[in-house]
């Protein structure tokens, strides 16, 4: 079988999907295999659609090999949490699930959800059943389907935040696969008698050529980095009324070192869809953008199968026309909008209704108790009060949300008791604006460290900033352990992309708002070289910057960028 669009043979994953009996494969049988802690190779592709990855502890590979033991296999589970919202009950459940079945660390991801690592195969079902009891699941959190839908996190963003936020859940539902496999395999629900009940007009039996991501932004903040999504919805609000959404398509960051055909791309705005007379047209537009990618995306080479490549192959105008044909309407011209920032609002903030929100600083989204801060205990105690909801941000933070003025003193007291306020206030401006992906030891694709290394590197970068009297600069720094871009390093003012142990490409000149990608400045640097380059750059920045100029914009003006 070949891919209609490329005439090349289908990638092996295509066959696995089609032969999977609605993503069931041999997962159920595999769970009974006591000889290994792993699952069959084909099932490893399928289990992603259920929100899981099979991994192993890379730190322990050598030790296990010496003892002639198989790798220490375990699973990472990623939840589907559209727009990143948890009730206190859901947080309490997650806290206990993390304690019983995982490494204990709760990791907030760059797409506003959480991941738990180190789950042994026999613990998957109890974990998913416990989540199900608090109405949480991991369906389609990974795999060749629509992933977690992100949405501007802070309710402060607009008086109609909730109205916009509700679209995250609606779009997530709209684009969910119809198969009941998740419920059968992991929750022991009854098997379907009539398979017709799970016929899936959207995904059919082949699903999408690759992952698909949707984000929703409320200008002027672009905290979800909306243009890095396959499909970006930008809320257009006039006089506190939601008029509709600008639609942008073709964002995506993954690249492969040495493969010039791969590249990072920001989404292109193709038009505007009103919602003043109802949502039908918007939802149809979202749906058909996905069906076009389903039908025209590359299914032979997974490196070139994201929507960004489909768009660049066929052209924006073609895509827009095909969309108009499928929706039966003509998408309107885009409306004016402007982003001014991408940050989280740390500390206490009050919204238009008088409710309070506290954003603590959480380094790399990792929630645990350590010698510096008993953050996990603090959050559990806060959840137990029932006085705060939990909202995750696309910058790997969370917001303790919707706290009434009466309840604020109780939360304040707990934040003080556990040192969360002092910890947040002590973090430097760049630390608060930094992102690092997971990388080692769990990520099989990592070439270098990220979340285990960036905190220390930032300490050294802070010293340089102090030397050049730049400590107040909110420079956006991001690091990933490989070029896949999970921490969105190509959209940072300073991006580090791992090339090998202890080595990174240094990217410069993204903007503060997330509307311009950066470029490689120097390749394969070790820490000494990184600090040397930054020392010089900060010196020049201090000396030659225009008034109020951001570091990324300054870097853009330099000769190396224009060369
Ligand atoms: Fe990612 C693969 C972690 C956001 C682009 N990503 C992976 C895997 C699953 C490795 C794997 O395939 O085995 C990583 C698991 C590591 C681990 O041990 O947990 C992983 N990605 C993450 C997270 C947890 C990073 C984080 O520290 O927060 C983020 C989870 C998001 C979520 O909740 O859904 C995460 N990944 C992203 C983003 C950022 C975003 O979406 O805003 C990107 C860049 C945007 C994009 O998609 O283009 C991203 N991840 C990738 C890619 C490259 C895809 C491509 O088009 O080439 C891969 C590799 C792949 O898919 O083959 C990947
Ligand atoms: Fe792993 Fe690379 Fe993603 Fe980091 S960027 S989590 S190293 S795939």
């Amino acid at each position: 079988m070949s891919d209609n669009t490329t005439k090349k043979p289908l990638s092996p994953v295509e066959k696995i999907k089609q032969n999977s009996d609605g993503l069931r494969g041999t997962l159920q049988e595999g769970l009974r295999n006591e000889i290994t802690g792993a699952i069959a190779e084909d099932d490893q592709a399928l289990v992603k659609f259920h929100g899981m990855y099979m991994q192993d502890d890379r730190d322990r590979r050598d030790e296990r090999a010496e003892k002639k033991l198989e790798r220490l296999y375990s699973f990472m589970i990623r939840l589907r949490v559209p727009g990143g919202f948890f009730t206190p009950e859901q947080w309490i459940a997650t806290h206990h699930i993390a304690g019983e079945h995982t490494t204990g660390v709760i990791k907030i991801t760059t797409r506003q959800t959480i991941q738990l690592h180190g789950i042994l195969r026999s613990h998957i079902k109890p974990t998913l059943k416990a989540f199900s009891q608090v109405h949480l699941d991991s369906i389609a959190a990974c795999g060749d389907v629509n992933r977690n839908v992100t949405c501007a996190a802070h309710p402060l963003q607009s008086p109609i935040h909730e109205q916009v936020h509700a679209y995250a859940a609606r779009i997530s539902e709209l684009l969910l696969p119809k198969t009941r496999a998740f419920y059968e395999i992991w929750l022991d629900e009854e098997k379907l008698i009539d398979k017709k009940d799970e016929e899936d007009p959207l995904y059919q039996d082949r699903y999408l050529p690759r992952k698909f991501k949707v984000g929703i932004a409320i200008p002027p903040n672009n905290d979800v980095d909306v243009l890095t999504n396959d499909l970006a919805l930008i809320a257009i609000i006039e006089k506190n009324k939601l008029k509709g959404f600008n639609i942008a398509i073709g964002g995506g960051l993954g690249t492969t070192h040495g493969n010039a055909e791969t590249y990072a791309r920001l989404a292109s705005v193709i038009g505007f869809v009103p919602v003043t007379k109802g949502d039908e047209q918007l939802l149809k537009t979202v749906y058909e953008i996905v069906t076009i990618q389903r039908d025209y995306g590359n299914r032979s080479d997974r490196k070139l199968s994201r929507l960004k490549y489909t768009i660049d192959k066929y052209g924006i105008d073609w895509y827009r026309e095909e969309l108009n044909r499928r929706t039966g309407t003509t998408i309107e011209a885009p409306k004016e909008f402007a982003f001014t920032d991408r940050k989280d609002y740390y500390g206490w903030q009050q919204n238009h209704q008088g409710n309070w929100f506290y954003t603590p600083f959480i380094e790399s989204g990792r929630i645990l108790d350590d010698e510096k801060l008993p953050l996990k205990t603090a959050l559990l105690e806060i959840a137990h009060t029932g006085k705060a909801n939990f909202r995750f941000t696309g910058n790997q933070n969370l917001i303790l949300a919707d706290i009434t003025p009466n309840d604020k003193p109780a939360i304040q007291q707990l934040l003080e008791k556990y040192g969360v306020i002092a910890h947040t206030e002590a973090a430097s401006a760049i630390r608060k604006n930094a992102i690092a992906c997971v990388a080692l030891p769990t990520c099989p694709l990592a070439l270098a460290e990220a979340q285990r290394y960036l905190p220390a590197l930032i300490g050294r970068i802070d010293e340089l900033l102090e030397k050049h009297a730049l400590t107040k600069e909110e420079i956006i720094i991001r690091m990933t352990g490989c070029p896949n871009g999970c921490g969105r390093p190509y959209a940072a003012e300073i991006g580090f992309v791992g090339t090998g142990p202890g080595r990174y490409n240094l990217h410069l000149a993204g903007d503060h708002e997330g509307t311009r990608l950066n470029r490689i400045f120097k390749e394969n640097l070790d820490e000494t070289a990184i600090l040397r380059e930054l020392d010089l750059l900060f010196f020049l920045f201090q000396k030659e910057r225009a008034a109020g100029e951001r570091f990324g914009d300054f870097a853009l003006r330099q000769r190396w960028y224009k060369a």
Side-chain angles (χ1 to χ4, degrees):
M1 266 189 301
S2 70
D3 174 4
N4 287 339
T5 64
T6 63
K7 306 291 172 218
K8 292 186 181 149
L10 288 175
S11 84
V13 179
E14 290 302 318
K15 290 171 203 156
I16 296 173
K17 288 184 279 189
Q18 282 188 1
N19 297 333
S20 71
D21 182 23
L23 305 177
R24 289 171 179 83
T26 58
L27 278 164
Q28 213 138 28
E29 298 86 308
L31 291 177
R32 292 191 286 270
N33 181 348
E34 285 176 9
I35 296 165
T36 168
I39 53 174
E41 208 176 319
D42 286 5
D43 291 340
Q44 289 172 33
L46 298 176
V47 83
K48 294 181 185 176
F49 292 75
H50 303 246
M52 279 167 262
Y53 286 82
M54 193 181 96
Q55 305 183 319
D56 74 290
D57 185 340
R58 292 178 60 182
D59 284 348
R60 298 186 61 185
R61 274 187 190 172
D62 291 348
E63 167 208 325
R64 305 269 305 177
E66 263 173 40
K67 292 182 188 155
K68 303 211 176 344
L69 292 169
E70 81 168 3
R71 288 180 177 175
L72 188 55
Y73 293 115
S74 66
F75 291 77
M76 174 267 275
I77 295 186
R78 183 184 288 166
L79 293 183
R80 179 176 70 95
V81 189
F85 179 87
F86 259 25
T87 61
E89 293 73 28
Q90 288 172 326
W91 183 263
I92 294 167
T94 302
H95 177 103
H96 293 304
I97 292 167
E100 276 168 47
H101 301 293
T102 82
T103 59
V105 178
I106 302 171
K107 161 87 181 179
I108 305 172
T109 75
T110 50
R111 294 194 68 77
Q112 286 184 305
T113 179
I114 59 141
Q115 285 185 183
L116 300 174
H117 290 92
I119 302 163
L120 297 178
R121 204 186 60 191
S122 57
H123 286 244
I124 299 176
K125 274 182 159 188
T127 301
L128 292 174
K129 283 180 180 174
F131 275 127
S132 172
Q133 281 178 1
V134 285
H135 312 291
L136 288 170
D137 65 62
S138 61
I139 301 171
C142 322
D144 296 345
V145 279
N146 174 55
R147 302 287 187 91
N148 201 43
V149 180
T150 60
C151 182
H154 210 301
L156 191 74
Q157 207 52 59
S158 159
I160 55 164
H161 179 267
E162 280 312 300
Q163 191 189 349
V164 177
H165 199 263
Y167 282 99
R170 296 183 63 191
I171 291 171
S172 175
E173 291 289 325
L174 176 76
L175 302 179
L176 268 186
K178 298 275 181 282
T179 169
R180 301 287 303 167
F182 181 90
Y183 301 94
E184 277 173 25
I185 299 171
W186 310 110
L187 305 183
D188 290 328
E189 288 189 10
E190 270 182 39
K191 280 202 164 75
L192 272 184
I193 298 178
D194 189 352
K195 282 280 168 62
K196 278 214 177 80
D197 291 344
E198 61 175 28
E199 266 172 20
D200 197 331
L202 175 60
Y203 293 119
Q204 302 166 352
D205 63 351
R206 48 191 185 140
Y207 300 87
L208 298 180
R210 202 65 159 85
K211 59 177 73 167
F212 192 92
K213 297 182 175 177
V214 181
I216 307 173
I218 305 180
N221 197 342
N222 183 20
D223 58 338
V224 288
D225 251 325
V226 78
L227 298 177
T228 63
N229 286 272
D230 297 87
L231 167 55
L233 280 74
I234 301 153
I236 302 297
I237 297 169
E238 289 168 12
K239 297 191 183 128
N240 283 337
K241 290 237 159 19
L242 179 64
K243 295 290 173 187
F245 293 88
N246 274 350
I247 305 289
I249 53 173
L253 299 183
T255 68
T256 304
H257 289 315
N259 182 344
E261 285 187 274
T262 64
Y263 50 84
R265 186 187 191 286
L266 289 181
S268 315
V269 179
I270 59 163
F272 168 80
V273 180
V275 293
T276 37
K277 292 190 184 140
D279 302 329
E280 208 183 315
Q281 192 190 340
L282 179 76
L283 297 178
K284 179 90 178 139
T285 301
V286 167
Y287 190 90
E288 296 300 355
I289 286 171
V290 180
T291 65
I292 299 173
Q293 163 65 356
R294 179 198 65 204
D295 298 342
Y296 288 90
N298 182 326
R299 287 180 187 263
S300 62
D301 183 349
R302 289 179 66 80
K303 296 266 179 225
L304 303 177
S305 53
R306 292 291 291 275
L307 177 65
K308 61 184 172 183
Y309 301 113
T310 315
I311 285 174
D312 288 342
K313 179 174 173 191
Y314 292 94
I316 287 279
D317 290 341
W318 174 88
Y319 212 101
R320 195 189 288 107
E321 273 163 34
E322 183 63 17
L323 179 64
N324 288 341
R325 196 181 67 72
R326 292 188 185 206
T327 58
T329 50
T330 303
I331 193 165
E332 294 180 19
K335 306 274 185 207
E336 289 284 316
F337 71 98
F339 291 126
T340 56
D341 231 318
R342 264 190 291 176
K343 65 181 182 184
D344 288 340
Y345 299 91
Y346 289 100
W348 283 111
Q349 307 281 340
Q350 193 173 25
N351 78 351
H352 65 288
Q353 291 164 318
N355 283 336
W356 287 93
F357 299 81
Y358 186 85
T359 307
F361 166 60
I362 300 173
E363 192 139 50
S364 310
R366 301 185 75 232
I367 295 174
L368 69 162
D369 288 343
D370 64 17
E371 60 289 350
K372 283 191 282 181
L373 186 73
L375 182 62
K376 207 171 152 201
T377 303
L379 294 177
L380 180 65
E381 211 171 312
I382 289 169
H384 273 303
T385 67
K387 296 178 194 304
N389 290 317
F390 287 63
R391 290 175 182 271
F392 308 121
T393 81
N395 291 315
Q396 300 173 319
N397 277 309
L398 68 75
I399 305 166
L400 296 166
D402 315 310
I403 301 163
T404 66
N406 281 347
D407 291 339
K408 187 183 172 220
I411 304 296
Q412 166 84 11
Q413 195 253 327
L414 288 173
L415 291 169
E416 279 171 6
K417 173 177 158 191
Y418 288 104
V420 178
I421 292 184
H423 166 81
T424 299
E425 288 175 358
S428 69
I430 55 158
R431 205 176 279 283
K432 281 184 177 147
N433 280 287
I435 291 181
C437 74
V438 179
L440 292 160
T442 50
C443 179
L445 309 177
L447 305 169
E449 297 280 355
Q451 72 180 17
R452 292 201 296 197
Y453 171 55
L454 187 63
L457 182 66
I458 285 192
R460 282 158 217 140
I461 296 175
D462 267 333
E463 287 168 17
L464 292 178
L465 290 167
E466 205 168 326
K467 174 175 158 193
H468 298 290
L470 291 169
T471 49
K472 293 214 166 65
E473 292 302 312
E474 293 182 335
I475 301 169
I476 297 177
I477 295 192
R478 295 173 175 180
M479 173 178 278
T480 55
C482 85
N484 282 315
C486 300
R488 299 190 291 268
Y490 310 112
E493 291 179 282
I494 300 178
F496 297 106
V497 177
T499 52
R503 295 206 170 249
Y504 301 85
N505 287 345
L506 171 57
H507 293 241
L508 296 178
D511 64 2
H512 218 254
E513 300 81 27
T515 58
R516 182 179 70 230
L517 293 177
N518 55 28
R519 256 195 213 171
I520 293 192
F521 172 62
K522 293 272 163 79
E523 288 180 51
N524 218 21
L525 303 183
D526 63 10
E527 182 175 301
T528 311
I530 287 171
L531 294 175
R532 194 175 51 233
E533 296 296 341
L534 291 183
D535 194 11
L536 180 61
L537 285 160
F538 291 157
F539 168 76
L540 293 172
F541 179 49
Q542 179 61 284
K543 205 160 96 180
E544 296 172 9
R545 74 190 290 192
E549 190 174 35
R550 299 280 197 179
F551 181 77
D553 297 336
F554 168 78
L556 182 76
R557 288 199 287 118
Q558 306 310 301
R559 207 176 311 129
W560 71 270
Y561 189 92
K562 293 179 190 135

